[in-house]
């Protein structure tokens, strides 16, 4: 009896934050490495190398047309280029046409704003980078200040490193807690930052909003309608 291999697609676009993508990609590729019926791919409009927000280019393994119906979809975030991608109709159309067919749709950091721009988070609870949570209601989503948020088949993770947590949660959902614990141990994910955890009571959220405003203005300077929606 042949078991169908389920595809988990990671979306690439110019200017994304690599850790948003690579952290969850490392975690979820472990399912394949453990012999489970999943495979991970990267997908974009082109297979040409794409810039990121680090001195690193990334290339997709598949085009949108080559991955029309993945089992799960993950969208990473970033800064100004991610806001620019909110006006990328090819990307938004791929999200709109693919997500209804998926069993799971995930985002990391501001990747949730791409899902929101595609109209996929209206009426749903969601999270994103703490400096951008106030933008979610502009698209009909309810912001939640959690490490990751599940609403139906949608799982949205907060900023950058939170994607690893959310991906381990997905492994637990797909393969059980023992496998998830084994993956966590295998990648030695046991965070102990030198300055301890974040004290959210000291975080300047207004300064964060000013940072996000600058990123929006950078990314959408040529898209006045979307610029007005986000800054209005």
């Amino acid at each position: 009896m042949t078991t169908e291999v389920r595809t988990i697609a990671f979306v690439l676009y110019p200017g994304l934050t690599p850790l948003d993508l690579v952290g969850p990609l490392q975690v979820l590729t472990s399912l394949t490495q453990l012999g489970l019926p999943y495979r991970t791919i990267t997908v974009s409009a082109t297979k040409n190398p794409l810039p990121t927000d680090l001195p690193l280019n990334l290339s997709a393994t598949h085009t949108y047309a080559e991955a029309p119906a993945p089992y799960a979809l993950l969208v990473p975030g970033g800064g100004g280029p991610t806001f620019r991608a909110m006006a990328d109709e090819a990307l938004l159309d791929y999200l709109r046409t693919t997500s209804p067919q998926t069993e799971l749709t995930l985002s990391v950091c501001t990747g949730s704003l791409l899902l929101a721009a595609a109209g996929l988070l209206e009426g749903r609870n969601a999270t994103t980078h703490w400096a951008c949570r106030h933008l979610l209601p502009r698209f009909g989503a309810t912001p939640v200040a959690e490490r990751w948020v599940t609403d139906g088949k949608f799982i949205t993770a907060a900023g950058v490193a939170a994607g690893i947590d959310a991906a381990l949660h997905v492994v637990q959902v797909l393969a059980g807690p023992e496998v998830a614990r084994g993956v966590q141990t295998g990648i030695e994910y046991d965070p102990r930052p030198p300055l301890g955890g974040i004290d959210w009571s000291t975080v300047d959220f207004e300064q964060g909003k000013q940072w996000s405003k600058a990123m929006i203005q950078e990314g959408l300077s040529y898209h006045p309608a979307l610029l007005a929606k986000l800054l209005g």
Side-chain angles (χ1 to χ4, degrees), residues 8-177:
I8 304 174
F10 291 72
V11 176
L12 272 62
Y13 57 87
L16 63 84
T17 295
L19 185 55
D20 285 9
L21 176 106
V22 175
L25 180 59
Q26 185 75 57
V27 170
L28 291 169
T29 298
S30 297
L31 293 170
T32 305
Q33 295 166 342
L34 290 169
L36 298 172
Y38 296 91
R39 68 164 182 158
T40 51
I41 65 171
T42 51
V43 60
S44 185
T46 175
K47 292 182 182 179
N48 294 331
L50 299 174
T52 68
D53 63 6
L54 297 179
L56 172 72
N57 291 338
L58 296 173
S59 300
T61 58
H62 293 69
T63 64
Y64 295 148
E66 292 171 337
Y71 175 82
L73 185 71
L74 184 142
V75 185
T82 299
F83 289 105
R84 188 175 305 120
M86 293 174 72
D88 181 342
E89 284 302 322
L91 170 57
L92 297 182
D93 184 62
Y94 181 70
L95 298 180
R96 290 188 191 107
T97 58
T98 304
S99 183
Q101 305 174 65
T102 65
E103 293 297 320
L104 292 171
T105 297
L106 302 92
S107 66
V108 179
C109 195
T110 50
S112 62
L113 295 177
L114 293 176
L115 294 179
L120 299 173
L121 295 183
E122 187 171 356
R124 295 187 179 277
N125 294 323
T127 194
T128 188
H129 190 281
W130 61 267
C132 299
R133 279 200 303 264
H134 65 289
L135 300 173
L136 287 167
R138 310 287 172 92
F139 300 93
T142 300
V144 181
E146 296 289 349
R147 189 73 169 163
W148 76 86
V149 173
T150 300
D151 190 322
K153 71 174 184 178
F154 288 86
I155 301 173
T156 53
V160 192
I164 297 174
D165 299 65
L168 285 167
H169 168 67
V170 171
V171 172
Q172 181 179 1
V173 170
L174 297 180

